[in-house]
Amino acid sequence: MYSGRMTTPERLIEATQELLWERGYVGTSPKAILERAGAGQGSMYHHFKGKPDLALAAIRRTAEQLRAAAELPLSTPGTAYARIEAYLLRERDVLRGCPIGRLTMDPDVIVSDELREPVDETLDWLRERVEGIVQEGLENGEFTASLDPRATAALIVATVQGGYVLARARNSAEAFDAAAQGLLALLRHAAA
């Protein structure tokens, strides 16, 4: 499953990322991690203090990857609307849900300040990044002055996260697409 060039810690982190996305924290057992990583018994404790330490490394890696994936469309040249549109319509595995957003529903992650921190930081980063783009659109006269950048950024992030939930509930990416298209229609209506 993993290339022979990956180190054992890398295989453990990647396996944990996948399992957290699929099963959540409680459903991700050390045995499942070792099996998925193709690592020997005791490998996890040789490289990490235990499951919480490995989970934290995996959540941080997932957060970095999510930020990088979001930054690509958000940093493309073009209008603020075009950049937001590119972010909303970027290719995603909608039916799997957001690997970070899903962790907010995991009680063991939420009660742990340490595990929750990279989740909070990532969602905060995304809201702030989108808020800056909306602010640019206001400053460039692209949106009407009545558009609140902070509230609009929160709406965009909530629409994406809610779109994942709706798509998973219906087992159809169309639910996500409808949410994104509805938000884009509102933003077009807010165009100056």
Side-chain angles (χ1 to χ4, degrees):
M1 180 170 204
Y2 298 106
S3 98
R5 295 181 189 182
M6 286 180 76
T7 65
T8 299
E10 288 297 314
R11 290 194 327 265
L12 290 167
I13 290 170
E14 191 167 307
T16 304
Q17 284 182 273
E18 293 168 2
L19 289 165
L20 286 172
W21 196 0
E22 292 168 14
R23 304 177 184 183
Y25 185 82
V26 172
T28 300
S29 68
K31 181 180 178 182
I33 293 168
L34 293 171
E35 286 175 4
R36 178 79 56 104
Q41 197 169 11
S43 295
M44 178 168 53
Y45 298 100
H46 176 73
H47 297 288
F48 299 94
K49 294 176 189 168
K51 179 182 166 182
D53 187 43
L54 176 55
L56 180 59
I59 293 168
R60 284 183 176 150
R61 175 79 52 84
T62 298
E64 291 168 11
Q65 292 169 343
L66 188 135
R67 287 181 188 197
E71 185 59 35
L72 283 173
L74 293 173
S75 63
T76 59
T79 64
Y81 176 88
R83 292 158 59 201
I84 293 168
E85 179 183 45
Y87 168 70
L88 288 171
L89 301 181
R90 78 175 175 84
E91 193 165 324
R92 301 173 157 85
D93 190 352
V94 174
L95 295 180
R96 284 190 76 193
C98 174
I100 290 293
R102 241 178 129 174
L103 293 171
T104 65
M105 303 304 291
D106 193 313
D108 290 311
V109 171
I110 295 306
V111 299
S112 167
D113 291 340
E114 192 174 35
L115 293 176
R116 190 181 66 247
E117 183 179 20
V119 174
D120 285 343
E121 287 174 353
T122 300
L123 293 172
D124 286 345
W125 171 85
L126 184 56
R127 279 189 299 269
E128 291 169 9
R129 182 70 176 97
V130 172
E131 181 180 346
I133 292 169
V134 174
Q135 183 64 46
E136 286 175 34
L138 282 168
E139 291 168 4
N140 294 335
E142 188 178 337
F143 297 124
T144 60
S146 63
L147 196 65
D148 180 321
R150 185 180 182 94
T152 303
L155 175 62
I156 291 167
V157 173
T159 298
V160 169
Q161 293 303 316
Y164 282 122
V165 171
L166 294 173
R168 288 176 56 84
R170 289 212 168 161
N171 197 30
S172 171
E174 290 177 11
F176 183 96
D177 297 339
Q181 290 300 332
L183 178 56
L184 290 170
L186 288 174
L187 287 175
R188 283 192 299 274
H189 185 70

